[in-house]
Amino acid sequence: MMDNASKTPLLDQIRVPSDMRNFSDNQLTELAIELRRETINAVSLTGGHLGAGLGVVEITVALHAIFDAPKDKIIWDVGHQAYPHKILTGRRNQMKTLRQKDGISGFTKRSESIYDPFGAAHSSTSISAALGFAVARDLGGTPDSGIGSTIAVIGDGAMSAGMAFEALNNAGHLRKEMIVILNDNDMSIAPPVGAMSNYLSRLYAGAPFQELKAAAKGAVSLLPEPFQESARRAKEVLKTITVGGTLFEELGFSYVGPIDGHDMDQLLSILRTVKDRLDGPVLIHAITQKGKGYPPAEASNDKYHGVGKFDVGSGTILKSVPNAPSYTNVFAEALIQEATYDQKIVAITAAMPDGTGLDKFNEKFSERTFDVGIAEQHGVTFAAGLAAGGMKPFCAIYSTFLQRGYDQVIHDVALQNLPVRFAIDRAGLVGADGATHAGSFDIAYLANLPNFVVMAPSDEAELVHMVATASSINDSPSAFRFPRGEGVGVELPVKGTPLEIGKSRLVSQGARVAIMSFGARLTEVMKAKESLILRGLNPTIIDARFAKPLDKDLILEIAGTHEALITIEEGAIGGFGSHVAKLLSDHGALDQNFKFRSMCFPDEFLDHGNPIEMYEEAKLNAVNIEEKVLELLNVDLLKTSSSSN
């Protein structure tokens, strides 16, 4: 007889978090087991961020059992760890659409659920947001529904960012009632670095002391009331002598912990007590294990931080065989090649050694590799100091994360004209991570800065040459951007050759219309060219290479010899096309019969999907390029189609 009993009987009863309010503590412990299993199964079908969520299953259950969301605001830092939260807040059946087009986001998102009070995909924002909610509550910001408790859940890696400390300092000063749960798994994406990580390690390294402290805490409650205050003071003296006080208490927070973040009894007891007695900011320090409860994740170096689809039984990640090396790997190998011959080259990353390829650089040149943690602002200015000191820094940061260090890019690098080289990974649309991680704005926010050289390769061979070019630029800052994923499959040079600054590459000579591509859309441009030739049109194709400085001579020559020019880029309004338009306008080219169009990202945030779907939505594929040419030349699409037949 077939057993039809559900494997998740408790989870099956939950549509919204309030459904678990009548669960016993033992049932909540069982619910956590079911939720962990559900999370693993869900992510195995779609891929996504797994390890972080597995580490906070018990914390998630305890928070939703004790607090009253959505009135109580639970804010997950970054959102990597929010999958169990999504399952408990009415999105269980939507998990099969996770990170897919028109499906639910891989991060928290205000427009997706009332249980996501604050959207997050970049780190270290949760404490600031929670403090904002707390102040809004006390000032009557939402009188209709009201705001209850505010809780920020932040990882130890995210706690290394300056913004988190700014928020802690302000919250301690304002003394607002709020809770910060420090999810300390001793690992962000890569193992954490810096003094903060070492400090947290020291807080719980001495097990004998922790046992003594726990015993003292329990003993105090057994003493007669007149003796309890003296015992508490003695306990504080012991704590100060042994640990040296806590940074969090110096900042104005009541500190609780460290506690076992997987012990439901501890979590429930402490959260209930903190909620009942809250009279200011409290930090609960919970020790967790990333990837907890799934052996393949626990054994993996990155704890299955981000995975594709995988087989649950074996943990084997189902990967397609790449046709070409990834741009990231090509960059890493090219930088290693340059550094072999140039001892002044150093590399900087902000907590993303694997993602930027600098883990490979570190294997060769550990003394010249610097992981600054989740601290892009510091990383940029650190690179500026290195450049001022005579080194050749390559600052490898994703496009979307470099936004966090933009003031430093302007003030500390560009204004001082220091030769920092920015290797900007994940340029353009990135797929399942969506708008928060898309490299949409770097062309616009860098090419408008005086002194900058801004490049983008059309293929991986060009990337090798641009690494060499950046290495050779010693009198100004420079940047080269490249997309996520595998390259085109072209043959790679043994060593890069520096390009002539500001000079584009004529790919093919044609007539009437020229298409100038900045970056990796050149492949789509060539597809469009093949189709246009069948219609009797042969466009001139140019690989721009540089958004700044522009190839002014060639662009003005095109204006004098062609009817029209189209620029194409994987970036937002205000980038390469805008600079070309200004050049044409300044020289009167647009006052004549010459036509110009710019193809770039639409003026909106594009939601997640696979890259092909996203570029279709952005209208930057071959068919869109072909249509733009025909429209610009006022050629009837049906007429040319019938004549070509």
Side-chain angles (χ1 to χ4, degrees), residues 398-411:
Y398 291 4
S399 170
T400 183
F401 297 148
L402 187 57
Q403 294 164 185
R404 295 160 64 97
Y406 188 52
D407 179 61
Q408 288 68 32
V409 172
I410 297 172
H411 183 271

Side-chain angles (χ1 to χ4, degrees), residues 382-401:
F382 173 52
L386 283 164
M391 300 302 289
K392 289 187 172 183
F394 278 76
C395 200
I397 301 179
Y398 291 4
S399 170
T400 183
F401 297 148

Side-chain angles (χ1 to χ4, degrees), residues 337-366:
Q337 181 77 267
E338 293 295 324
T340 300
Y341 298 99
D342 191 336
Q343 300 299 311
K344 289 188 176 183
I345 289 177
V346 294
I348 299 124
T349 181
M352 299 293 292
D354 294 354
T356 58
L358 291 192
D359 56 334
K360 296 180 174 60
F361 188 89
N362 183 58
E363 291 173 3
K364 297 279 188 179
F365 308 108
S366 59

Side-chain angles (χ1 to χ4, degrees), residues 298-329:
E298 293 178 357
S300 172
N301 288 335
D302 69 351
K303 308 302 180 188
Y304 278 33
H305 171 74
V307 295
K309 298 177 183 180
F310 62 93
D311 175 73
V312 173
S314 65
T316 302
I317 299 171
L318 309 176
K319 291 183 177 179
S320 58
V321 178
N323 296 312
S326 71
Y327 280 97
T328 301
N329 285 336

Side-chain angles (χ1 to χ4, degrees), residues 198-463:
N198 293 333
Y199 170 76
L200 294 176
S201 297
R202 289 197 306 273
L203 276 179
Y204 59 87
F209 164 66
Q210 294 305 328
E211 292 169 5
L212 177 60
K213 190 172 81 168
K217 185 174 182 180
V220 168
S221 64
L222 300 177
L223 293 172
E225 184 62 34
F227 298 98
Q228 289 190 17
E229 184 58 33
S230 296
R232 289 191 191 96
R233 284 199 296 269
K235 181 170 68 72
E236 287 304 312
V237 170
L238 171 65
K239 182 168 123 181
T240 301
I241 292 172
T242 310
V243 184
T246 75
L247 170 66
F248 307 110
E249 289 178 340
E250 294 297 327
L251 288 171
F253 276 73
S254 296
Y255 173 84
V256 179
I259 67 170
D260 183 349
H262 300 298
D263 185 329
M264 190 65 78
D265 290 337
Q266 277 194 55
L267 285 169
L268 293 172
S269 175
I270 287 171
L271 285 174
R272 285 170 180 146
T273 301
V274 168
K275 181 183 180 184
D276 291 343
R277 300 181 183 179
L278 192 63
D279 63 354
V282 174
L283 186 139
I284 301 171
H285 185 180
I287 309 304
T288 64
Q289 180 182 359
K290 193 170 184 177
K292 173 72 173 178
Y294 186 48
E298 293 178 357
S300 172
N301 288 335
D302 69 351
K303 308 302 180 188
Y304 278 33
H305 171 74
V307 295
K309 298 177 183 180
F310 62 93
D311 175 73
V312 173
S314 65
T316 302
I317 299 171
L318 309 176
K319 291 183 177 179
S320 58
V321 178
N323 296 312
S326 71
Y327 280 97
T328 301
N329 285 336
V330 170
F331 156 68
E333 294 298 334
L335 187 60
I336 289 169
Q337 181 77 267
E338 293 295 324
T340 300
Y341 298 99
D342 191 336
Q343 300 299 311
K344 289 188 176 183
I345 289 177
V346 294
I348 299 124
T349 181
M352 299 293 292
D354 294 354
T356 58
L358 291 192
D359 56 334
K360 296 180 174 60
F361 188 89
N362 183 58
E363 291 173 3
K364 297 279 188 179
F365 308 108
S366 59
E367 74 286 356
R368 288 193 268 159
T369 309
F370 302 94
D371 184 350
V372 299
I374 304 177
E376 291 84 2
Q377 291 174 292
H378 161 62
V380 171
T381 303
F382 173 52
L386 283 164
M391 300 302 289
K392 289 187 172 183
F394 278 76
C395 200
I397 301 179
Y398 291 4
S399 170
T400 183
F401 297 148
L402 187 57
Q403 294 164 185
R404 295 160 64 97
Y406 188 52
D407 179 61
Q408 288 68 32
V409 172
I410 297 172
H411 183 271
D412 299 333
V413 176
L415 189 62
Q416 302 188 93
N417 201 31
L418 288 169
V420 175
R421 294 99 175 144
F422 291 96
I424 303 175
D425 204 332
R426 270 52 167 189
L429 301 176
V430 296
D433 283 336
T436 58
H437 282 57
S440 302
F441 306 109
D442 59 271
I443 307 172
Y445 71 62
L446 291 179
N448 67 355
L449 299 178
N451 305 323
F452 250 90
V453 175
V454 180
M455 301 173 277
S458 56
D459 58 43
E460 58 270 40
E462 285 285 301
L463 175 57

